Amino acid sequence: MIICRTKAEMREAVRGWKRAGETVGVVPTMGYLHEGHLGLVRMARQKADRVVATIFVNPTQFGPNEDLSTYPRDEARDLALLEAEGTDAVFLPSVEEMYGAGGDTFVEVPGLSAILQGALRPGHFRGVSTVVTKLFNIVTPDFAVFGEKDYQQLTLIRQMVRDLDMPLEIVPHKTVREDDGLAMSSRNVRLTAEHRAEAVQLSRSLSAAEELAKSAPAISVLEAAVRKSLGEAPSGKVESVDIRDAETLEELSGTLDRPAVVLLAVRFGTVLLIDQRVIAPAAR
């Protein structure tokens, strides 16, 4: 496994593979890897001849009161996990290497950046779209794999790639969960025992929504049911419950009559957890 800490090293490795006619898949991460990330690596292996994982805790997507300084990191463990999966290269740039001095260019998808989590975290998705664009330009992959847990991010990146004619395929991967249903996240390790026990209510609420969807309820009824279910986690502060068109993330009203995505954001202490599930009314 090649470890590349500079853009030049990463580009040189990819050039060699592409000269040999090999395809390249990339899995962008912020490190502190878990089984969810490794599932993305395995999917990339299925799609491409060579797999690159990137590890970069991107400062431009953190707000002034967010957890950049406390974001968990364990480089040695991450590299061991990636090597065990047969990853061909890991791109591990510093902030200075990634952004340099005097950089003043950003990439933004205005509509999708301003809604949902974007409204709660101004500037977050501008940071995401900019760093992902840079990673795509450096690695020049044929495929990029992203998890569905960050559903708004996945939708935004798909639109960015389509709008800017980027020559790669975005491959989604289903949310990987713990045995009790909690979506895997690097932030789960920061939950207290009490909060960890209650956090499973996010996935239970999504399961309740999936079952209720079969009766094609009113969107307002569906949202109320999800909020009631989340109320069974008394330590959690519900920041948002949104039910949106699964393809466009447009707001829905009236009766559920098409695939929708239920998006949750719940804070336990200082830890913000997100989860999602695509639901649809039963076929008639």
Side-chain angles (χ1 to χ4, degrees), residues 261-280:
V261 60
V262 183
L263 301 158
L264 307 180
V266 181
R267 189 175 296 278
F268 290 89
T270 61
V271 182
L272 178 66
L273 298 183
I274 62 172
D275 206 347
Q276 59 73 37
R277 189 165 303 175
V278 174
I279 61 173

Side-chain angles (χ1 to χ4, degrees), residues 57-188:
V57 182
N58 177 38
T60 68
Q61 68 191 67
F62 286 79
N65 299 315
E66 294 183 335
D67 53 358
L68 174 61
S69 63
T70 59
Y71 196 87
R73 296 164 169 85
D74 192 336
E75 181 180 301
R77 176 179 171 276
D78 288 345
L79 292 175
L81 289 170
L82 291 170
E83 188 159 28
E85 292 294 332
T87 307
D88 295 285
V90 182
F91 182 44
L92 272 164
S94 65
V95 174
E96 293 73 21
E97 175 68 17
M98 198 65 184
Y99 286 108
D104 195 31
T105 302
F106 293 91
V107 178
E108 190 164 18
V109 184
L112 286 171
S113 291
I115 62 175
L116 302 169
Q117 282 296 297
L120 296 173
R121 304 174 68 188
H124 169 71
F125 283 114
R126 185 174 79 161
V128 169
S129 53
T130 299
V131 77
V132 170
T133 297
K134 289 173 71 65
L135 290 171
F136 288 169
N137 286 339
I138 294 162
V139 180
T140 62
D142 300 283
F143 307 96
V145 185
F146 289 87
E148 290 183 348
K149 181 171 76 72
D150 294 312
Y151 198 89
Q152 184 175 359
Q153 172 181 278
L154 172 64
T155 305
L156 179 146
I157 290 169
R158 279 172 158 165
Q159 180 168 338
M160 180 184 77
V161 166
R162 182 173 63 248
D163 290 352
L164 297 181
D165 300 306
M166 295 181 177
L168 74 154
E169 178 185 344
I170 301 300
V171 181
H173 189 281
K174 287 189 177 299
T175 302
V176 180
R177 298 182 179 276
E178 304 284 358
D179 291 342
D180 63 0
L182 179 66
M184 288 189 176
S185 170
S186 300
R187 292 176 176 173
N188 291 349

